[in-house]
C-alpha cells in the first residue's frame, strides 16, 4: 500500500471533542445547541442514520429532539411541524431526513425550513450562499470532505479536482467548495465521455456516484488524493464505497476508507453547523 489513510473516525473524534467543549460554553451562557430531526416513514437506512445523529448530539451535550411520523403523514402537517420548529427558540438546527414518502414534495419541505436553521445546507438560500461565497450553512458531506483535506494540510490552489457525481447534496456543492479554494474543478457524471482520461489528470478525486468500483486503480494518477463518499454493499453484504479500495490504495497518495472515512464526518459537520447556528442565536440575542 502506498496511500496514507485519512481516518474519518479519528478526525471526527477530535472535532467532536472540540464541539462538546464549545457546546458546554454556549450552554453556560444560556444557549444549549438544539437539533430537531424529523423522520417520516419506515426507511430502514434512514432509521439508522437518524439514530446515529441523535446519539452524536447527545454525546456532544446538545439538546436533541427526534420526531417520528407515520409514512401517511400529510404534507401540510409536515409543513406545520417545520414552521413550529422554526419558531422554537430551543431548536437551532432542523433536519428532515430524506428520502420522504412520494406524496410529499421534499423540495417544498426543505424550502419551509428557516435558512437560519438549515444545518443540512439544502435550502436554496444556503445553496445560493455557497455559490456566491456568502455566509451560510454548507451541506455536511462535502463540508466533511473539505475538513479531511484540511487535516492533511492539502493546498488546493492550482490543483485539478475531479468530482464524480452531480447531486445537489454532494457533487455540486463539493465542486463549489473546491472552486472556492482555487482548485480547477471538473464535474463528471453519467453523460461524461472518456471518464478515465479526465480522472487520470486529477490531483484530487471525490467519488460520489453511489455505485461500487466506479474508480479503479488504472483511473488514478500516482499520488492523487482520493475521497470516497459512496455507501454501497458488496456481494457479501459488507459496506463499501464507490472506489475499488484494494486497487486504488496502491496508486493514490491519500485515500479515505469505507467504513470509517467520509461517513462519520457527515454527522460531525452536522454538529459543527448546529453549534454555529446556536452561536448565531446567542450573538443575535446579545445584540438586541
Ligand atoms: N438522507 C441521506 N443523507 C441525508 C442527509 O445528509 N440529510 C438528510 N436530511 N437526509 C439524508
Amino acid at each position: 500500500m502506498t496511500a496514507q489513510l485519512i481516518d474519518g473516525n479519528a478526525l471526527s473524534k477530535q472535532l467532536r471533542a472540540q464541539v462538546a467543549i464549545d457546546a458546554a460554553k454556549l450552554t453556560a451562557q444560556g444557549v444549549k445547541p438544539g437539533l430537531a430531526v424529523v423522520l417520516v416513514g419506515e426507511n430502514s437506512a434512514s432509521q439508522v442514520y437518524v439514530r446515529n445523529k441523535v446519539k452524536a448530539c447527545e454525546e456532544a451535550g446538545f439538546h436533541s429532539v427526534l420526531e417520528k411520523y407515520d409514512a401517511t403523514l400529510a404534507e401540510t402537517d409536515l409543513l406545520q411541524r417545520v414552521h413550529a420548529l422554526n419558531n422554537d427558540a430551543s431548536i437551532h438546527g432542523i433536519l428532515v431526513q430524506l428520502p420522504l414518502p412520494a406524496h410529499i414534495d421534499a423540495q417544498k419541505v426543505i424550502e419551509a425550513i428557516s435558512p437560519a436553521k438549515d444545518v443540512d445546507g439544502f435550502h436554496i438560500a444556503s445553496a445560493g450562499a455557497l455559490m456566491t461565497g456568502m455566509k451560510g450553512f454548507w451541506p455536511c458531506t462535502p463540508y466533511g470532505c473539505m475538513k479531511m483535506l484540511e487535516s492533511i494540510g492539502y493546498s488546493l490552489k492550482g490543483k485539478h479536482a475531479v468530482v464524480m457525481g452531480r447531486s445537489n447534496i454532494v457533487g455540486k456543492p463539493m465542486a463549489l467548495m473546491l472552486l472556492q479554494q482555487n482548485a480547477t474543478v471538473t464535474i463528471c457524471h453519467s453523460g461524461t465521455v472518456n471518464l478515465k482520461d479526465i480522472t487520470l489528470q486529477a490531483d484530487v478525486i471525490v467519488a460520489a456516484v453511489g455505485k461500487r468500483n466506479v474508480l479503479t486503480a488504472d483511473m488514478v494518477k500516482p499520488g492523487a488524493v482520493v475521497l470516497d463518499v459512496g455507501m454501497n454493499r458488496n456481494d457479501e453484504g459488507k459496506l463499501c464505497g464507490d472506489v475499488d479500495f484494494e486497487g486504488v490504495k496502491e496508486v493514490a497518495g491519500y485515500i479515505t476508507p469505507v467504513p470509517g472515512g467520509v461517513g462519520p464526518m457527515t454527522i460531525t459537520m452536522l454538529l459543527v453547523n448546529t453549534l454555529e447556528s446556536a452561536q448565531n442565536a446567542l450573538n443575535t440575542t446579545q445584540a438586541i
Side-chain angles (χ1 to χ4, degrees), residues 46 49 53 95-99 120 122 140-141 169 266:
S46 290
Y49 292 145
K53 287 170 187 175
L95 183 149
V96 179
Q97 188 67 25
L98 303 177
D120 249 338
F122 294 171
C140 301
T141 300
I169 293 176
T266 297

Side-chain angles (χ1 to χ4, degrees), residues 209-282:
V209 174
K211 245 191 245 163
R212 281 166 59 193
N213 297 332
V214 293
L215 190 74
T216 47
D218 59 312
M219 299 166 74
V220 177
K221 180 166 83 174
V225 179
V226 175
L227 306 180
D228 190 350
V229 177
M231 285 260 245
N232 312 298
R233 298 266 167 200
N234 67 14
D235 293 336
E236 290 87 50
K238 260 183 64 186
L239 199 63
C240 66
D242 288 356
V243 174
D244 170 26
F245 182 83
E246 289 307 316
V248 172
K249 76 179 187 346
E250 302 299 334
V251 183
Y254 286 92
I255 190 167
T256 64
V258 177
V262 176
M265 292 299 293
T266 297
I267 297 185
T268 301
M269 302 325 290
L270 176 68
L271 298 177
V272 167
N273 279 348
T274 305
L275 181 81
E276 188 182 324
S277 180
Q279 183 70 61
N280 293 342
L282 178 66

